[in-house]
Amino acid sequence: MSETLLESSFAISGTFIHSTITSPLVILSDHCIGVISGKIVFIQKNDNKINDVLEKYNIDVGNIICLKGLQFVIPGFVDTHIHAPQYSNCGKCLDEDMLSWLHKYTFPTEAKFADLDFATKQYWKVVSRVVKNGTTTASYFGTIHTNSTLKLCDVIQSIGQRGIVGKVNMNRNSPDYYKENTTISVQETKRYVQEVVMRKYTLIRPCITPRYAGNCCMGLMKQLGQIARSNEIHVQTHIAETTEECDMVRKHFPENESYLDIYNEAGLLTRKTVLAHGIYLTPEDRKLIRERNCGISHCPNSNISIRSGMLDVRACLDDNISVGLGTDISGGYSPSILDAMRTAIFTSNTIALHKGPNYKPLDYQDVFRLATLGGAKVLDMEDHIGNFEVGKAFDALLVDPCVDGGPIDVFREDTMEDIIQKFIFLGDDRNILSVFVAGNDILENFVRQISSPNDGI
Ligand SMILES: [Zn+2]
């Protein structure tokens, strides 16, 4: 897919903080990053060579953004698992366990998205909200409705966010008002993928999205696997989120060796596959996930809020499994990846309390990497986004820890490490002044002008 081709070229000068494969937190003080047509063309220390570099890339002084005070720039956040149609339930409906929650709250809410006007207004709300919170790339579940999921793509493209977007498939174990038959489900999925390709979105990729094995029969999943592989597109689904769900799925597929084996038989496991949750996987399952190069989306707020369980992320990382963070709206009540970082640490610390002193819980540097480069890897986009490297897209957040009326107090003795740590634990959307996607400040250009929190519904 091509990027948004911006003619503009500019540079940003100041402090940059990002992760690399070898280090979860790298601070580049007094550096300058050059961006042309949305891509990073140089990363240069502000030394006596900087003027030559600026001249080489034809960037004049008027096109340099100089960061002020303690401002810094970080890579944009990657939300590897979010249900856009569930946003209106964010912050409520958390009194049921997952399977009951689906039937009582989620299916009735998602069924309303057959109405395109309703869907459009709801999708503006959710995409605007997650962009304000610094999410530059998100992997979205839509609903079973093809046209309203295409509306979601339109909204994401209009706002300028980067998205992987899937029309949901479900042909069993859901109410009649929110279910497809196998033939329609396959036909509509093919139509959805063709339509996304035809519309030539610059920032959006289609995704095959069987809700989970409990909602899809093997015949449907095999055909979906075929569509995913023949088009080389992403797959997203849920796995091993709760023990009740694992028991239910195993009853439906007694022939399969494990939950993951169901998806494997269907041909749904590729390096572009995002598996949400994965709390109750067996060691053999984890081995297969690594072999297939699938990624796991860790959604800690959701896992605690609807009491699903706790994923041992440290064990996954030790097994060389790719892990990113997800909000899982609205099982998770927060649209913010900053919240996902904090709840990932809380979950990890809780596991550490049980495992004892030799267990190494996740720290703020670990979750910073999961939220950026880790998420990019889970989405098989790490060659393209996730940190600051020449040739990658400039997807980034300009953060001001000292914004007036903001949530952070910085003290004289605070180092840059202290300040990024305070931002991770205390920061919110007030601290995020710019949200760049492919070099385009979408917060400035779109969200503030088009949408206010209370209009539209
Ligand atoms: Zn989910």
Side-chain angles (χ1 to χ4, degrees), residues 402-436:
C402 302
V403 66
D404 278 349
I408 302 171
D409 286 310
V410 175
F411 294 85
R412 187 187 298 272
E413 65 271 22
D414 285 339
T415 63
M416 207 60 223
E417 285 94 335
D418 294 330
I419 292 170
I420 181 75
Q421 195 170 351
K422 284 188 171 187
F423 172 62
I424 290 169
F425 280 107
L426 300 169
D428 63 29
D429 57 347
R430 288 170 288 181
N431 300 111
I432 298 172
L433 304 191
S434 299
V435 177
F436 293 96

Side-chain angles (χ1 to χ4, degrees), residues 44-274:
Q44 172 70 38
K45 179 90 179 154
N46 276 326
D47 56 18
N48 55 12
K49 294 191 193 119
I50 186 65
N51 287 335
D52 294 342
V53 174
L54 289 166
E55 197 173 318
K56 177 182 167 191
Y57 290 99
N58 222 3
I59 297 173
D60 60 45
V61 177
N63 285 334
I64 301 175
I65 301 166
C66 293
L67 301 187
K68 302 184 187 88
L70 293 170
Q71 291 176 346
F72 57 89
V73 172
I74 59 174
F77 297 142
V78 179
D79 187 342
T80 54
H81 185 73
I82 170 169
H83 297 263
Q86 295 175 21
Y87 178 55
S88 64
N89 286 344
C90 248
K92 62 179 190 178
C93 307
L94 296 170
D95 58 328
E96 297 283 351
D97 294 340
M98 196 270 284
L99 293 178
S100 309
W101 171 88
L102 278 175
H103 286 266
K104 185 172 174 184
Y105 300 117
T106 304
F107 293 154
T109 300
E110 292 192 7
K112 295 181 196 166
F113 283 71
D115 178 337
L116 282 185
D117 286 341
F118 175 84
T120 304
K121 287 173 183 168
Q122 294 265 335
Y123 286 151
W124 270 105
K125 285 276 186 195
V126 61
V127 179
S128 303
R129 178 63 65 192
V130 298
V131 164
K132 282 176 189 165
N133 279 282
T135 298
T136 50
T137 298
S139 192
Y140 287 103
F141 278 54
T143 59
I144 64 171
H145 315 102
T146 305
N147 290 343
S148 86
T149 306
L150 288 165
K151 274 283 173 209
L152 174 58
C153 296
D154 288 344
V155 169
I156 296 165
Q157 177 74 23
S158 297
I159 289 176
Q161 195 189 34
R162 199 183 295 281
I164 291 170
V165 185
K167 171 220 160 320
V168 171
N169 302 94
M170 0 183 350
N171 69 345
R172 66 176 180 181
N173 292 325
S174 65
D176 287 343
Y177 65 80
Y178 195 50
K179 188 192 287 181
E180 311 161 287
N181 71 41
T182 307
T183 308
I184 297 287
S185 189
V186 171
Q187 277 174 1
E188 284 295 290
T189 302
K190 287 179 178 169
R191 181 168 80 83
Y192 172 74
V193 172
Q194 282 166 1
E195 191 67 34
V196 172
V197 172
M198 263 171 41
R199 292 186 184 196
K200 299 193 186 316
Y201 297 114
T202 51
L203 296 163
I204 294 169
R205 303 177 189 198
C207 183
I208 298 302
T209 308
R211 184 173 210 110
Y212 79 111
N215 278 142
C216 300
C217 72
M218 182 57 80
L220 173 58
M221 286 192 286
K222 281 189 171 174
Q223 292 184 77
L224 295 176
Q226 180 61 39
I227 298 169
R229 293 193 312 282
S230 60
N231 291 279
E232 295 183 21
I233 57 179
H234 284 81
V235 174
Q236 59 184 349
T237 189
H238 298 87
I239 191 165
E241 180 177 357
T242 72
T243 51
E244 295 79 9
E245 163 220 357
C246 291
D247 292 344
M248 185 261 242
V249 166
R250 294 309 309 280
K251 272 187 201 141
H252 282 298
F253 296 93
E255 307 295 316
N256 289 93
E257 285 172 20
S258 70
Y259 196 154
L260 189 74
D261 184 53
I262 300 164
Y263 295 145
N264 191 39
E265 184 186 334
L268 285 164
L269 302 181
T270 76
R271 62 180 304 112
K272 290 188 185 304
T273 300
V274 183

